[in-house]
C-alpha cells in the first residue's frame, strides 16, 4: 500500500482540515495518508522510511509563510528530497482563477524564491476568510488585502473558498507520485 505523509503548518485549522480531506481521499483510493503538524514532527521525529511521498502544506500570512515553515525546510530538506515530494500553499487571494495557478499565485513564486528546497510538485489552494476568529489588527490588514483584490470586507464574514473536490482530486494525484 502506498503511503503519503502530509506535514503541515496551520494557525487557524484550515490547512489541517485540507490535510484531513486529502488523507480521506488517499484512503478512499486504497492508499494510506497520515498527517503531522511540523511542530510535532520536529519534536517527536518522523519515521521517514515509512512513506512513499512527502508533502508539506502551509498557509500564507502577510504575503509570506510562518518562519517555522522555513526552519522546518532548512532542518529536513535532505529528508524531503529522498522521496517524491510536493508542496501546497493556502491563501485567500487564490479564490480567483488567475491566482489559483502555480504561475499566477505570487505567494507560490515567493516560496520558490525563498525555499532552498525545490519541491517536485506544486499546488495552490484557496483558504478561508474568518474575520470573527482574527484579532482587530489582522482583520484590518486582511480587510485591506480583500478590498484591494475585491474580496469580502464585512468583518462578520466567515467564508470557505476551498474547492473541496479539487482537494480530493489532489489526494488521488499524490498517490500517483508514489509511482
Ligand atoms: C494574520 C493573517 C494574515 C494573512 N495574510 C494573507 C495574505 O497576505 N494573503 C492571503 O491571500 N491570505 C492571507 N491570510 C489568509 C490565510 O492564508 C487563510 O485564512 C488560510 O486559510 C489560513 O490557514 P490556517 O487556518 O491553516 O492558518 C491571512 C490570514 C491571517 C490570519
Amino acid at each position: 500500500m502506498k503511503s503519503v505523509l502530509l506535514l503541515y503548518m496551520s494557525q487557524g485549522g484550515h490547512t489541517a482540515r485540507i490535510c484531513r480531506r486529502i488523507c480521506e481521499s488517499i484512503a478512499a483510493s486504497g492508499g494510506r495518508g497520515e498527517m503531522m503538524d511540523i511542530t510535532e514532527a520536529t519534536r517527536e521525529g518522523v519515521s521517514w522510511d515509512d512513506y512513499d511521498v512527502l508533502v508539506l502544506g502551509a498557509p500564507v500570512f502577510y504575503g509570506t509563510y510562518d518562519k517555522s515553515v522555513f526552519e522546518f525546510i532548512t532542518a529536513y530538506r535532505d529528508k524531503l528530497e529522498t522521496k517524491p515530494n510536493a508542496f501546497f500553499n493556502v491563501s485567500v487571494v487564490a479564490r480567483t482563477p488567475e491566482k489559483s495557478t502555480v504561475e499566477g499565485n505570487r505567494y507560490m513564486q515567493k516560496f520558490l524564491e525563498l525555499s532552498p528546497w525545490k519541491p517536485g510538485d506544486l499546488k495552490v489552494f484557496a483558504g478561508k476568510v474568518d474575520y470573527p476568529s482574527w484579532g482587530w489588527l489582522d482583520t484590518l490588514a486582511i480587510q485591506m488585502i480583500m478590498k484591494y483584490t475585491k474580496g469580502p470586507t464585512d468583518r462578520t464574514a466567515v467564508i470557505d473558498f476551498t474547492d473541496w473536490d479539487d482537494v480530493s482530486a489532489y489526494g488521488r494525484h499524490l498517490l500517483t507520485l508514489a509511482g
Side-chain angles (χ1 to χ4, degrees), residues 11 26 40 42 72 98 130 148:
Q11 183 176 288
I26 289 170
E40 183 195 351
T42 302
F72 186 82
E98 60 281 7
D130 192 355
Y148 180 68

Side-chain angles (χ1 to χ4, degrees), residues 60-128:
V60 171
F61 300 121
Y62 293 123
T64 187
Y65 303 84
D66 191 82
K67 71 174 176 24
S68 65
V69 173
F70 294 113
E71 285 168 1
F72 186 82
I73 289 170
T74 303
Y76 297 106
R77 177 188 171 185
D78 57 334
K79 297 289 186 194
L80 292 167
E81 287 173 346
T82 57
K83 304 275 168 77
N85 57 76
F87 173 77
F88 71 85
N89 73 5
V90 180
S91 66
V92 287
V93 305
R95 72 191 182 283
T96 64
E98 60 281 7
K99 288 176 181 149
S100 68
T101 65
V102 167
E103 298 74 23
N105 187 274
R106 65 192 158 95
Y107 305 136
M108 185 56 89
Q109 298 309 317
K110 180 152 191 179
F111 178 84
L112 294 173
E113 278 167 38
L114 296 177
S115 170
W117 166 53
K118 308 299 174 200
D121 187 89
L122 300 168
K123 178 69 180 168
V124 169
F125 287 117
K128 187 178 182 184

